[in-house]
Amino acid sequence: MAEETIFSKIIRKEIPADVLYQDDLVTAFRDINPRAPVHILVVPNKLIPTTNDVKIEDELALGRMVTVAKKLAADEGIAEDGYRLIMNCNQHGGQEVYHIHMHLVGGRALGPMVVS
Ligand code: 5GP
């Protein structure tokens, strides 16, 4: 059994967060430490620690994460200029919270994808 993170508490509304969207599969809320004018996290309600743990039955939730990110990008007014969707995995990916999440980042030119 994977260990819960702060994100499970946010999903259950046990601790405060700026929640922008929630349905039966996913929750989206603003990152507490935004790295760009728009920085939103889209997470599955189900605890999946890393993308290595994604199963076939999670495909609906993973797909929903993308359609919700697309909707929020439009809501935030960054769809036209563009944005980046990022999912970090494990140590080399820079993952800090072990409940998978998609970063929706935009509102300015983001520069190169990976710093070399
Ligand atoms: P990771 O590095 O795991 O891909 O990203 C984790 C993200 O979660 C970071 O951008 C961090 O700022 C954000 N984060 C960590 N704890 C909290 C929290 O309690 N509330 C919110 N809204 N974001 C958090």
Side-chain angles (χ1 to χ4, degrees):
M1 191 72 179
E3 209 170 307
E4 281 198 350
T5 73
I6 196 109
F7 288 179
S8 290
K9 293 188 170 67
I10 290 174
I11 291 161
R12 292 196 299 263
K13 309 270 175 68
E14 289 170 7
I15 62 163
D18 190 355
V19 176
L20 301 172
Y21 179 91
Q22 186 166 54
D23 65 20
D24 56 323
L25 291 175
V26 307
T27 301
F29 50 91
R30 290 193 197 280
D31 197 292
I32 203 167
N33 179 24
R35 265 65 128 227
V38 175
H39 189 169
I40 295 167
L41 302 173
V42 186
V43 312
N45 295 338
K46 172 186 170 185
L47 170 52
I48 305 167
T50 79
T51 50
N52 290 333
D53 303 303
V54 170
K55 299 191 167 65
I56 298 281
E57 58 263 33
D58 300 321
E59 285 180 349
L60 193 59
L62 274 283
R64 184 73 58 84
M65 287 164 69
V66 176
T67 53
V68 168
K70 175 201 126 175
K71 173 197 159 13
L72 292 171
D75 292 350
E76 297 287 315
I78 61 171
E80 194 82 359
D81 285 340
Y83 52 88
R84 192 169 288 159
L85 301 177
I86 305 164
M87 293 182 78
N88 297 321
C89 181
N90 278 342
Q91 196 182 0
H92 281 192
Q95 185 173 5
E96 291 169 9
V97 178
Y98 282 79
H99 180 139
I100 62 166
H101 46 281
M102 180 178 283
H103 297 255
L104 163 60
V105 188
R108 64 169 169 80
L110 295 169
M113 187 171 67
V114 176
V115 178
S116 51

